Amino acid sequence: MKKVWIIVFGLTCLGLSAQKRWSLRECVDYAVQHNLQVIQNQYSKEVQNTNLKIAKRDYLPSVSGSIGNTASFGQTQFVNTSVRNDNFSNNASLGASIVVYNNGRIEKTIRKTEFDVEASQYDIETIQNDISLQIAQQYLTTLLNKEIVKISQSAVENAKKQSDRAKITTSVGTTAQTVLAEADAALAREKQNLKTAEINVGRSLFALAQLLQLQDYKDFDVEDVAVSDQLPSELKSVDEVLNTAYENQPQVKAAVSRIKSAEAQTEVSKTAFWPTVTASAGIGSFYNNSLVTNNIGSALLYIKEKTFFQQYKDNFGQNIGVSVNIPVFNKGITKLQVEQSRINESIAKNALEQQKQTVRQNVQKAQFDVDANYEGYLAATEAEKSSKLAMEFADKSYTAGRTTIYDVNVARNNYANAQGSVAQAKFNYIFSLKLLNFYAGIPLSL
């Protein structure tokens, strides 16, 4: 018996795990970590980080070594005859060079690359923000569709009561058969509306799962968040939101960083007008060996060739030097490159103005939507109250025999539509307000 309970408890836990419902915060966090577009931009940032490391390494000296072997075979002229001259030689060297002066080109290149790294980080944050807003909108759409399902369920219950009552009154002969037929038809229509609302919930959940890029979307669901009918008010004015957005929105920060990068690139291009001073130092040695004889003297003075290591020791040498590369004429390319960099500065400044204009338009649109959706919510609420009162009067009149069942069905449909309009206006207002607060630096939440 104990094992049976363990199995039942285990299956229950698995069922609860499969039925996990996602909060808005969980959806947003998952999306910004797993979205492929975010990952792609993270790779771009890693490339910029590598470029920065490369730029900083230019401060270090360049060190290189070389080793070579040469063998030659053949005759050579000696007095009035020719003799065999087969030789083998080996040489090795190690050298280093470092830039002493280039008018700060290395430092300016590093500064330019640092701005590129900043911009790439802001690009990542921009994509994360865009995805977060898409998630929030789709999340609220899902909640709205769930709200409509509840409205449709209530309409089905009312239609079911009307159908049951019609069956009784028709069976006792109080009402005609057409009344029962109309009541059953109204119930069928409400059931159809309920099924459509349930399908819309599934469709919105599927769209949200697609945004999250989930492979298994069939068991995906979101939390049932109770959204109060007491709508929250704005926290900041439009001017305050705009000032905050200009300072905090990553797309604006990225544009500012790219302006600084373009200005730094202009300074880098100007360094080509100045000379470059490079210091160098090196060591080396060599070995020579005649393959014909081990005598390096004349026939009268015999001197035996030295060994490999002895020659390397005797031939060891050092060198040190300073070179100056002075630009004289390069077909005016440097001047054109500076002009090109200044054009890129203007392009970057224009891009900043475009980003500010986009932010301003988005904030103003969000503000307009907040006001319009709030007015729409008030109007929809009044229409709902009137429709509910009309439905109640129609139901009482039908019970008293003063109206037909068609009037009751029309009144009930009007009330259901009014409830849907209230829900739609409420969620539209909430999203527009969340969007406005988002630009004001307030994180997304429900």
Side-chain angles (χ1 to χ4, degrees):
M1 188 65 182
K2 183 178 180 181
K3 292 182 178 179
V4 173
W5 279 111
I6 292 175
I7 293 173
V8 171
F9 179 75
L11 291 175
T12 303
C13 291
L14 288 174
L16 291 175
S17 176
Q19 294 172 1
K20 173 188 179 324
R21 296 190 174 188
W22 292 54
S23 66
L24 175 59
R25 186 73 264 163
E26 288 174 329
C27 289
V28 170
D29 291 342
Y30 183 89
V32 298
Q33 292 176 9
H34 297 85
N35 186 273
L36 295 179
Q37 195 174 1
V38 173
I39 295 174
Q40 182 68 29
N41 276 59
Q42 287 174 343
Y43 287 138
S44 299
K45 183 177 181 295
E46 290 180 8
V47 171
Q48 295 296 342
N49 286 332
T50 304
N51 290 337
L52 179 58
K53 293 178 181 179
I54 293 173
K56 291 180 177 180
R57 295 292 176 89
D58 282 340
Y59 278 124
L60 301 176
S62 298
V63 181
S64 62
S66 66
I67 185 169
N69 297 284
T70 304
S72 62
F73 307 92
Q75 300 291 117
T76 185
Q77 185 70 29
F78 183 74
V79 190
N80 294 325
T81 184
S82 63
V83 296
R84 189 72 182 177
N85 184 25
D86 298 338
N87 292 288
F88 171 79
S89 64
N90 170 273
N91 64 82
S93 62
L94 180 67
S97 64
I98 187 171
V99 175
V100 178
Y101 174 80
N102 60 1
N103 195 32
R105 182 184 305 136
I106 298 176
E107 179 184 354
K108 293 171 183 177
T109 302
I110 291 174
R111 190 182 310 117
K112 187 261 183 192
T113 311
E114 287 174 341
F115 292 134
D116 290 338
V117 172
E118 280 183 3
S120 61
Q121 177 59 42
Y122 292 138
D123 287 341
I124 294 175
E125 295 176 11
T126 299
I127 295 177
Q128 290 175 338
N129 285 351
D130 292 342
I131 294 172
S132 298
L133 291 175
Q134 293 177 35
I135 296 276
Q137 185 174 23
Q138 190 59 44
Y139 198 98
L140 288 173
T141 299
T142 303
L143 295 182
L144 169 62
N145 288 335
K146 287 191 171 188
E147 190 78 13
I148 293 176
V149 167
K150 295 178 182 179
I151 296 172
S152 297
Q153 289 172 344
S154 178
V156 169
E157 292 175 2
N158 291 333
K160 180 69 168 55
K161 293 177 182 179
Q162 189 70 37
S163 176
D164 293 340
R165 186 169 58 181
K167 287 178 181 178
I168 295 173
T169 57
T170 302
S171 64
V172 298
T174 305
T175 56
Q177 191 68 31
T178 55
V179 173
L180 176 59
E182 175 58 25
D184 289 341
L187 176 59
R189 287 193 295 269
E190 294 301 343
K191 287 182 177 180
Q192 181 184 13
N193 292 336
L194 175 59
K195 180 56 66 176
T196 301
E198 291 173 344
I199 291 173
N200 288 337
V201 171
R203 183 176 286 111
S204 60
L205 284 172
F206 175 75
L208 183 55
Q210 291 292 98
L211 284 176
L212 294 173
Q213 298 178 349
L214 295 177
Q215 294 183 354
D216 186 10
Y217 61 86
K218 293 183 179 179
D219 294 328
F220 174 74
D221 201 357
V222 298
E223 291 182 344
D224 291 329
V225 181
V227 180
S228 174
D229 291 335
Q230 298 295 325
L231 300 184
S233 58
E234 299 177 37
L235 299 178
K236 295 183 179 181
S237 66
V238 177
D239 292 337
E240 290 176 320
V241 173
L242 273 176
N243 292 333
T244 303
Y246 288 155
E247 294 176 359
N248 297 332
Q249 285 299 303
Q251 60 267 40
V252 176
K253 290 183 177 180
V256 172
S257 295
R258 288 193 167 93
I259 291 176
K260 295 178 180 178
S261 174
E263 292 172 346
Q265 180 58 49
T266 301
E267 296 302 316
V268 172
S269 300
K270 288 180 180 179
T271 60
F273 287 120
W274 294 80
T276 300
V277 181
T278 304
S280 61
I283 56 175
S285 188
F286 61 91
Y287 164 78
N288 284 318
N289 177 41
S290 174
L291 301 178
V292 178
T293 176
N294 58 2
N295 177 18
I296 61 173
S298 62
L300 300 177
L301 181 62
Y302 180 83
I303 301 176
K304 186 178 180 180
E305 286 183 334
K306 295 181 180 180
T307 62
F308 178 85
F309 293 104
Q310 186 62 47
Q311 286 195 39
Y312 255 68
K313 179 180 179 181
D314 294 342
N315 297 332
F316 181 76
Q318 310 87 34
N319 64 81
I320 186 171
V322 176
S323 63
V324 180
N325 182 8
I326 302 174
V328 178
F329 178 71
N330 68 342
K331 299 172 285 189
I333 293 177
T334 300
K335 183 179 179 181
L336 293 175
Q337 288 174 339
V338 172
E339 292 179 0
Q340 189 178 48
S341 297
R342 286 174 176 159
I343 294 173
N344 289 333
E345 286 183 36
S346 300
I347 294 174
K349 291 176 181 178
N350 185 66
L352 173 61
E353 294 304 317
Q354 288 179 337
Q355 291 295 343
K356 284 186 175 181
Q357 182 182 36
T358 300
V359 169
R360 182 174 64 255
Q361 290 174 346
N362 290 340
V363 170
Q364 290 174 344
K365 182 180 182 301
Q367 175 64 57
F368 178 84
D369 290 341
V370 166
D371 296 337
N373 291 331
Y374 184 73
E375 294 297 326
Y377 174 76
L378 295 179
T381 303
E382 291 299 319
E384 181 192 25
K385 293 178 181 178
S386 301
S387 299
K388 183 178 181 181
L389 187 61
M391 184 188 68
E392 292 173 349
F393 283 146
D395 191 61
K396 291 178 181 179
S397 297
Y398 173 71
T399 303
R402 291 193 295 269
T403 58
T404 66
I405 191 173
Y406 300 101
D407 298 324
V408 175
N409 290 336
V410 170
R412 186 172 59 244
N413 290 336
N414 290 339
Y415 178 58
N417 292 334
Q419 286 180 302
S421 298
V422 169
Q424 180 76 57
K426 179 172 66 174
F427 281 94
N428 285 344
Y429 173 81
I430 290 174
F431 177 74
S432 56
L433 184 61
K434 294 293 180 184
L435 179 60
L436 188 63
N437 290 340
F438 179 79
Y439 281 109
I442 301 173
L444 293 171
S445 63
L446 285 177

